[in-house]
Amino acid sequence: SNSTSVVITGTNFTGVSGVRFGGTNAASYVVNSSTQITAVPAASTTGTISVVTSGGTATSGSSFTVNATPTVSGSASPTTICSGGNVTLNASVTSPTTQNTVLLSEGFNGATNSWTTFNNSSGGTPANAAWTLRPDGYSYTFPGYPANVFRSNDNSQFYLSNSAAQGNYNYAKTATILQSPVMNSVGYSSLSLEFYQYNLDFDNSDFARVEVSTNGTSWTTLSTTTTTQGAQNNFLRTTVNLDSYINQATLYIRFKYDAQHDWFWAIDNVTVSGNKTINYTYSWTASPSGTAGLPSGAGTASTTNNSIVANPTVTTAYTVTATNPNTGCLNTSIINVTVNPLPSAPSVTKVDAS
């Protein structure tokens, strides 16, 4: 959240004149030593971290994310009751109501992964065309052509389907598929696919397709490429809109490569992400607590505690805490309920007979 302090480690933190998050000055910072700074980001400043010193500016290699603190609204109905009456306490979050959430992220850097490969190639040596994990710096040379030395966007391992290596120019047909694990996009209001690719085209006889399915059987083509995309040392960042596939309990994407003895298609760093509704949890406390009349379970964070009924016997201040379960960011709201005492019952102290 915006008020959380961040410990930045590095070297030569001397003569520090500024700390920035996403280009915005930090709300505050303390230089603990020449290797450590404690800083508080300003509101909603997501991005790289920069430390400005007399010797120059150092910038982090990765982005830092600042999650928004929820804005909580609480109310009571009614706000004034007589002792022994009930009051309904309500709470809601007005912002943020959605959050960019990663549904799938795969960098293909491990020895194995949860993706599925299919090889329906024919002619030549079909096994050579199969989607295969290749290390950073992998080199492939086709006779008579310069070597291709592969460097993904982050200089890491990647998947490659190599049609040229299948051989048999006149008869070889490459037909390979790289398929994602199943995903669930229920609750998303937007969705997109991002990946990095190098697709080297030879003669427009290859088709690099991105496809989607909601059952794993029927597939819809989202994009088709028949021209070179990216370069051997500069994989191209590519995005595909998946908004038509939100709120699907079953969702797959796949990369389908069909070629007639062409070159190859390399894929790396696949991400599916989008805006997802935040299901906030709510919990309640009260002061004074012993006479607040909170129902059982009100103090436990739950999505169903956004509306509860209490039975206070004296004037009470109720505090509701709303928490984003995805980030842990939280905020509170205080609701005051006035309890008026019941009037004293009439009593007869003496009866005079006449």
Side-chain angles (χ1 to χ4, degrees):
S1 64
N2 302 138
S3 60
T4 302
S5 61
V6 179
V7 176
I8 305 167
T9 57
T11 57
N12 300 319
F13 289 159
T14 55
V16 175
S17 59
V19 176
R20 299 170 185 154
F21 291 81
T24 301
N25 289 330
S28 64
Y29 69 90
V30 175
V31 180
N32 304 317
S33 68
S34 63
T35 60
Q36 186 182 90
I37 297 172
T38 300
V40 176
S44 302
T45 50
T46 291
T48 56
I49 301 173
S50 298
V51 177
V52 182
T53 72
S54 56
T57 300
T59 302
S60 63
S62 58
S63 180
F64 179 83
T65 300
V66 178
N67 295 306
T69 299
T71 301
V72 189
S73 176
S75 64
S77 180
T79 57
T80 301
I81 62 172
C82 293
S83 180
N86 292 332
V87 60
T88 299
L89 302 172
N90 297 304
S92 63
V93 173
T94 55
S95 69
T97 57
T98 62
Q99 180 182 359
N100 188 269
T101 304
V102 175
L103 180 58
L104 173 72
S105 179
E106 180 57 69
F108 303 121
N109 295 324
T112 61
N113 55 71
S114 58
W115 287 60
T116 304
T117 61
F118 302 91
N119 188 2
N120 300 312
S121 304
S122 61
T125 308
N128 289 350
W131 285 103
T132 305
L133 290 169
R134 298 298 188 188
D136 176 49
Y138 172 74
S139 180
Y140 172 74
T141 303
F142 188 82
Y145 289 84
N148 281 273
V149 180
F150 294 81
R151 297 281 187 186
S152 180
N153 65 296
D154 61 347
N155 297 327
S156 68
Q157 185 171 265
F158 58 93
Y159 256 122
L160 177 69
S161 179
N162 193 333
S163 179
Q166 189 176 338
N168 196 344
Y169 177 79
N170 293 320
Y171 301 103
K173 291 184 179 181
T174 301
T176 61
I177 294 171
L178 177 61
Q179 181 174 312
S180 75
V182 66
M183 297 173 282
N184 184 338
S185 64
V186 172
Y188 282 81
S189 57
S190 66
L191 203 63
S192 66
L193 164 68
E194 176 187 278
F195 63 97
Y196 288 80
Q197 64 169 323
Y198 173 35
N199 175 27
L200 181 60
D201 171 67
F202 179 64
D203 59 3
N204 295 325
S205 67
D206 63 331
F207 299 87
R209 297 182 175 92
V210 178
E211 299 183 335
V212 64
S213 175
T214 56
N215 56 20
T217 303
S218 302
W219 295 86
T220 300
T221 300
L222 298 174
S223 68
T224 302
T225 297
T226 59
T227 58
T228 295
Q229 304 291 310
Q232 59 184 290
N233 60 351
N234 187 22
F235 282 27
L236 178 67
R237 177 181 178 269
T238 307
T239 59
V240 179
N241 189 291
L242 295 177
D243 285 351
S244 297
Y245 297 93
I246 61 173
N247 292 314
Q248 299 293 327
T250 300
L251 182 65
Y252 298 89
I253 60 103
R254 72 180 186 180
F255 302 97
K256 188 175 186 294
Y257 184 45
D258 296 290
Q260 177 78 43
H261 188 74
D262 214 281
W263 279 112
F264 37 70
W265 195 13
I267 299 290
D268 200 9
N269 296 320
V270 181
T271 303
V272 177
S273 63
N275 287 324
K276 186 178 182 181
T277 301
I278 303 172
N279 294 315
Y280 284 93
T281 61
Y282 300 88
S283 60
W284 298 82
T285 58
S287 179
S289 59
T291 54
L294 285 171
S296 175
T300 301
S302 170
T303 56
T304 59
N305 275 341
N306 60 315
S307 182
I308 63 172
V309 176
N311 178 235
T313 57
V314 298
T315 295
T316 304
Y318 293 94
T319 299
V320 59
T321 300
T323 304
N324 182 338
N326 302 319
T327 65
C329 293
L330 54 85
N331 208 345
T332 60
S333 178
I334 298 175
I335 306 110
N336 293 302
V337 175
T338 300
V339 178
N340 293 319
L342 294 174
S344 299
S347 62
V348 177
T349 57
K350 182 178 180 182
V351 176
D352 291 326
S354 59

